[in-house]
Amino acid sequence: MKEPTDYYGLGEGWEAINVIDALGLTRGFCLGNVIKYIIRAGKKSGEDEAATIAKANWYLEYYIYHLKKLEAENEQKDEASELLVCQN
């Protein structure tokens, strides 16, 4: 998934979204931004409505990506646990 632009960077390859993920705040942050951008679409002076909806979509897509990543990690952990149980 493409990361946000560098102006949100914290240096050393870290993006603000990575810090948010590491702190376990992804769900609220992403879904809150989806709501914010949808509500704001077409209302902010000088901003293209389609661009605002695209921002909402980016956060929704990122959240879906995050969920799928967590599901895959959990499946790997479950498989590893099953192997340990079978070996004992």
Side-chain angles (χ1 to χ4, degrees), residues 3 7-8 13 20 23-24 31 33 38 40-41 46 48-49 51 56-57 59-61 67 73-74 79 81 88:
E3 293 295 325
Y7 55 80
Y8 290 115
I20 290 163
L23 294 172
L31 297 180
N33 276 319
I38 288 172
R40 190 176 91 180
D48 177 29
E49 185 174 0
N57 186 59
Y59 282 104
L60 187 57
E61 289 292 327
L67 287 176
E73 289 171 0
N74 287 336
E79 289 171 5
S81 295
N88 290 330

Side-chain angles (χ1 to χ4, degrees), residues 4-5 7 14-16 20 30 39 53 59 61:
T5 58
Y7 55 80
W14 279 88
E15 293 282 339
I20 290 163
C30 287
I39 290 170
I53 295 296
Y59 282 104
E61 289 292 327

Side-chain angles (χ1 to χ4, degrees), residues 36-84:
K36 173 182 76 175
Y37 286 120
I38 288 172
I39 290 170
R40 190 176 91 180
K43 296 177 185 172
K44 188 174 179 187
S45 178
E47 188 169 44
D48 177 29
E49 185 174 0
T52 304
I53 295 296
K55 289 177 186 178
N57 186 59
W58 188 92
Y59 282 104
L60 187 57
E61 289 292 327
Y62 186 84
Y63 183 59
I64 292 168
Y65 162 80
H66 179 76
L67 287 176
K68 288 180 179 180
K69 183 178 167 189
L70 289 177
E71 288 172 1
E73 289 171 0
N74 287 336
E75 285 177 15
Q76 289 176 345
K77 287 178 187 175
D78 289 344
E79 289 171 5
S81 295
E82 288 175 16
L83 286 175
L84 288 174

